[in-house]
Amino acid sequence: MGIVNRIATLFQAKVLHIVDRAEDPRETLDYAAERQREMLGRVRRALVEVTASRHQLTAQAQRLDERLPQLDDQARRAVASGRADLA
């Protein structure tokens, strides 16, 4: 069994050497850093979109608040004239 063990050990050493050479830690680190930069860019773009949407919603809420007295007056006049369906 000595020769079989030697062949297995030699084979294992060669396979591990190939795997070690294929997985360069610098390349792995560079790839991970690039992915993080891409994700950071996506987060920044999403933050800009959220901020813009929030401003749009604030402006829309303000416009609706400004129309509220007018709509309330219209509803009161409709009820006073017997047109509750328009109120």
Side-chain angles (χ1 to χ4, degrees):
M1 286 295 247
I3 190 82
V4 174
N5 285 339
R6 276 190 185 172
I7 292 173
T9 303
L10 180 64
F11 180 74
Q12 186 177 17
K14 293 288 184 182
V15 169
L16 288 176
H17 178 72
I18 290 171
V19 169
D20 285 343
R21 198 171 51 185
E23 190 176 311
D24 184 8
R26 291 172 294 191
E27 289 178 9
T28 304
L29 181 62
D30 289 344
Y31 176 73
E34 181 61 31
R35 294 270 301 142
Q36 285 186 343
R37 281 190 290 271
E38 290 172 5
M39 287 188 286
L40 181 60
R42 279 188 253 153
V43 166
R44 286 181 176 156
R45 283 189 296 277
L47 182 60
V48 168
E49 290 176 14
V50 166
T51 302
S53 295
R54 191 166 92 202
H55 286 299
Q56 289 174 351
L57 287 173
T58 301
Q60 185 178 10
Q62 185 177 359
R63 286 191 304 272
L64 290 173
D65 282 343
E66 290 170 359
R67 285 192 60 206
L68 193 58
Q70 176 191 3
L71 294 173
D72 190 41
D73 184 50
Q74 286 177 353
R76 288 179 198 278
R77 282 187 277 137
V79 170
S81 66
R83 298 288 313 264
D85 58 319
L86 292 178

